[in-house]
Amino acid sequence: MKVNYQFPARAVKHWDTWIGDRDLADIAVAAEECGFDMVSTTDHPFPAQDWLAGGGHHAFDPFVALSFMAAATKRVRLLTFVLVAGYRNPYLAAKSAASLDRLSGGRLVVGMGAGYQRAEFEVLEASFADRGPRFDAAIGALRAAWSGEVVERDDEFFPAHGHVMLPRPAQRPGPPVWIGGNSRAAMRRVAESADGWLPFEQPAAMAAVTGTPELTAAQLGERIARLREMRSAAGRPAEFDVCFTPAATRDPERAAEQLAAALPEYERAGVTYVSVDSQARSIDDCLREIELFGKALASSTSD
């Protein structure tokens, strides 16, 4: 079982006081040294104040933040968690992703999602109503650009004729694409075109509030088994990566103990990565949290 450390997004709002005299690289280095396999950042370029007031958060540009982390580390993988497909032209996203993957030595995983913040779509002049089919088209556009060959695509949304992108990503034929979300559409994309899935725990009560489909740890194995069937039916490899995010708690010691105890259940279900959704309120808390989780998970896997 591998482990991802999700950068605490709410740190960005109070960054100067949150980070103190340290910098973002310290987080990535600590995660690598404590045995984490991946670090990740989210994506909100220009969120609406109403959403922020209701519990939303700011974010660094994911490619900039992950590049900063990559330069200070050697081993940990780098995950966009998640890149909103509709916020960028996919050929621009492909260039950023290919550049980061090449310069990091092939460590990027492109986590993507359809997005749900209508106001953020609108201010970015991105199309909200048809974001689903645009997302499907974007995956193909990314991979076409990563080929390094002349692209000829008669695509409804992203046609290209006679264009080529270099350098190629270090990973061939390109970085893995993982799809975020619990919805049927997310699962369809995992089955038909992606390389991995980024589901998150969502109890029924919370699902009723957020409108996001319910997903509990007990249901996870069934969903993964269903996805394997769907992938086989589509003529694709049945096995795929699953990075599951359990519901977060603000008590890191308790959260680390719970996660370590749950790892065998997740592994039986078919999970390949678990994600620690950091709630740290300062850089010192963050570094302590990383060490705490590292020790708990190391102890669990050595038993």
Side-chain angles (χ1 to χ4, degrees), residues 122-209:
E122 290 175 350
V123 76
L124 297 171
E125 296 188 344
S127 181
F128 183 81
D130 58 355
R131 66 193 185 283
R134 284 178 174 272
F135 187 0
D136 293 331
I139 295 172
L142 288 169
R143 290 183 169 143
W146 288 336
S147 72
E149 305 296 334
V150 176
V151 175
E152 294 289 343
R153 284 173 58 85
D154 289 314
D155 182 87
E156 177 183 0
F157 299 109
F158 310 112
H161 299 284
H163 296 263
V164 62
M165 180 180 293
L166 292 175
R168 294 178 175 91
Q171 298 177 86
R172 307 299 303 137
V177 175
W178 293 0
I179 304 298
N182 301 344
S183 68
R184 290 182 181 179
M187 292 180 66
R188 176 185 59 77
R189 291 185 180 101
V190 175
E192 294 178 355
S193 58
D195 307 296
W197 186 31
L198 292 155
F200 55 94
E201 187 172 7
Q202 185 86 145
M206 184 60 69
V209 174

Side-chain angles (χ1 to χ4, degrees), residues 107-125:
R107 290 189 277 153
L108 179 64
V109 176
V110 181
M112 301 184 75
Y116 63 99
Q117 292 295 315
R118 180 187 290 271
E120 196 165 20
F121 270 81
E122 290 175 350
V123 76
L124 297 171
E125 296 188 344

Side-chain angles (χ1 to χ4, degrees), residues 60-115:
F60 286 115
D61 179 279
F63 292 112
V64 173
L66 291 174
S67 294
F68 199 83
M69 292 178 166
T73 56
K74 298 294 185 184
R75 177 186 59 80
V76 290
R77 304 204 76 184
L78 314 155
L79 170 65
T80 58
F81 192 10
V82 292
L83 192 74
V84 179
Y87 286 173
R88 298 165 185 80
N89 178 286
Y91 299 122
L92 287 175
K95 169 61 79 171
S96 295
S99 299
L100 176 52
D101 192 63
R102 171 62 66 179
L103 295 174
S104 69
R107 290 189 277 153
L108 179 64
V109 176
V110 181
M112 301 184 75

Side-chain angles (χ1 to χ4, degrees), residues 188-249:
R188 176 185 59 77
R189 291 185 180 101
V190 175
E192 294 178 355
S193 58
D195 307 296
W197 186 31
L198 292 155
F200 55 94
E201 187 172 7
Q202 185 86 145
M206 184 60 69
V209 174
T210 64
T212 301
E214 174 188 357
L215 180 62
T216 66
Q219 296 168 328
L220 191 57
E222 179 183 342
R223 302 277 179 92
I224 293 171
R226 174 59 181 148
L227 271 170
R228 287 174 177 156
E229 294 174 356
M230 293 167 66
R231 288 172 64 88
S232 294
R236 308 189 66 230
E239 297 303 316
F240 61 102
D241 277 308
V242 179
C243 181
F244 178 59
T245 303
T249 175

Side-chain angles (χ1 to χ4, degrees), residues 10-51:
R10 288 177 175 81
V12 176
K13 181 178 181 179
H14 307 289
W15 183 246
D16 289 343
T17 55
W18 194 95
I19 197 66
D21 59 358
R22 296 180 181 270
D23 62 43
L24 189 62
D26 291 323
I27 297 172
V29 169
E32 185 168 79
E33 290 178 347
C34 290
F36 282 83
D37 302 281
M38 182 178 285
V39 291
S40 58
T41 62
T42 188
D43 183 28
H44 279 291
F46 206 15
Q49 179 58 32
D50 288 350
W51 180 68

